Amino acid sequence: QSFLTQPPSASGTPGQRVTISCSGSGSNLGSLAVNWYRQLPGTAPQLLIYSDTQRPSGVPDRFSASKSGTSASLAISGLQSEDEATYFCAAWDDSLNGRVFGGGTKLTVL
Amino acid sequence: EVQLLESGGDLVQPGGSLRLSCAASGFTFSSYAMSWVRQAPGKGLEWVSAISGGGSNTYYTDSVKGRFTISRDNSKNTLYLQMNSLRAEDTGIYYCAKDPIYDWLPGNWFDPWGQGTLVTVSS
């Protein structure tokens, strides 16, 4: 059981816009920023979004994120086949006194 | 280019020990906090342990406290994870990851990650 809840799967067609949700509580998303990671099949995770909405250099602006209260979401517009991956949200949790991850959402591009 | 290269993963029996290493390059290693994050086969991610840039402050998730020890040798640009009393549930890929600053702080993130090393605990 994860501290942050994500849907296990999502899907979309090329060019479509998809969103992935991340739900937490006051001890995590409600207190500090959320970060998002992408894990392509068979590879290590990569930072996608940090501090709720910031994109590291090299991440295209097709990726955007938002947070409100104890919920966050990642949006991918102009979906491409190479976006097929598992997406994880992450945040600090006061009760664990450590960083926690969502269970991951596997995105399929149909 | 920042690079992190883990090694040391192996098959070990329950109750055994293992030491993982993470060789860093492309940045001033001593200036950044570092972490270990693991991923059980086919499962999600779990933060395991972290250490500040100078090595004086260490942090652990509850399930590994008293069994795992994180350390670093800044003269060798290398991060370590000593794992003792290993259990089946410790099985997974162990990634090392870099923090954006010297101190390991709540609001920060992991970037980049190494490619991981596989630890299998089984008899």
Side-chain angles (χ1 to χ4, degrees):
Chain A
Q1 183 179 352
S2 302
F3 284 79
L4 304 176
T5 301
Q6 297 180 240
S9 63
S11 63
T13 56
Q16 197 174 18
R17 182 178 186 271
V18 298
T19 60
I20 295 171
S21 63
C22 175
S23 177
S25 68
S27 67
N28 43 62
L29 294 188
S31 57
L32 280 171
V34 64
N35 306 306
W36 291 88
Y37 300 90
R38 176 176 66 176
Q39 187 172 33
L40 297 168
T43 69
Q46 297 173 299
L47 181 67
L48 195 62
I49 298 285
Y50 67 96
S51 294
D52 290 340
T53 61
Q54 304 302 302
R55 284 189 311 275
S57 60
V59 174
D61 58 7
R62 300 189 296 108
F63 295 89
S64 62
S66 63
K67 194 185 84 168
S68 178
T70 59
S71 294
S73 64
L74 173 72
I76 309 171
S77 59
L79 199 62
Q80 301 177 3
S81 58
E82 52 262 42
D83 295 332
E84 277 209 345
T86 300
Y87 294 82
F88 295 92
C89 59
W92 176 267
D93 188 275
D94 286 332
S95 60
L96 173 69
N97 205 32
R99 295 180 193 166
V100 295
F101 293 88
T105 299
K106 186 174 182 179
L107 176 63
T108 301
V109 180
L110 302 170
Chain B
E1 180 192 3
V2 174
Q3 289 194 329
L4 300 170
L5 186 61
E6 301 93 334
S7 61
D10 205 349
L11 170 63
V12 61
Q13 293 189 337
S17 297
L18 209 55
R19 188 177 85 154
L20 306 183
S21 299
C22 171
S25 61
F27 64 102
T28 305
F29 182 65
S30 60
S31 295
Y32 298 93
M34 298 290 295
S35 286
W36 288 98
V37 179
R38 67 185 177 187
Q39 185 170 33
K43 301 296 184 182
L45 300 166
E46 180 186 25
W47 167 75
V48 174
S49 181
I51 188 168
S52 59
S56 56
N57 296 312
T58 59
Y59 311 85
Y60 301 92
T61 193
D62 285 347
S63 63
V64 308
K65 282 180 183 174
R67 300 189 300 123
F68 290 10
T69 302
I70 190 172
S71 62
R72 62 193 298 162
D73 185 335
N74 286 342
S75 68
K76 295 182 178 179
N77 290 345
T78 303
L79 175 73
Y80 302 101
L81 185 67
Q82 177 66 44
M83 304 186 295
N84 299 330
S85 303
L86 282 161
R87 306 167 181 168
E89 54 265 34
D90 295 318
T91 293
I93 297 174
Y94 283 70
Y95 298 100
C96 68
K98 173 183 169 290
D99 255 45
I101 61 172
Y102 180 92
D103 293 311
W104 194 74
L105 294 177
N108 286 335
W109 49 91
F110 305 112
D111 181 46
W113 302 52
Q115 90 293 341
T117 188
L118 177 62
V119 173
T120 304
V121 184
S122 174
S123 54

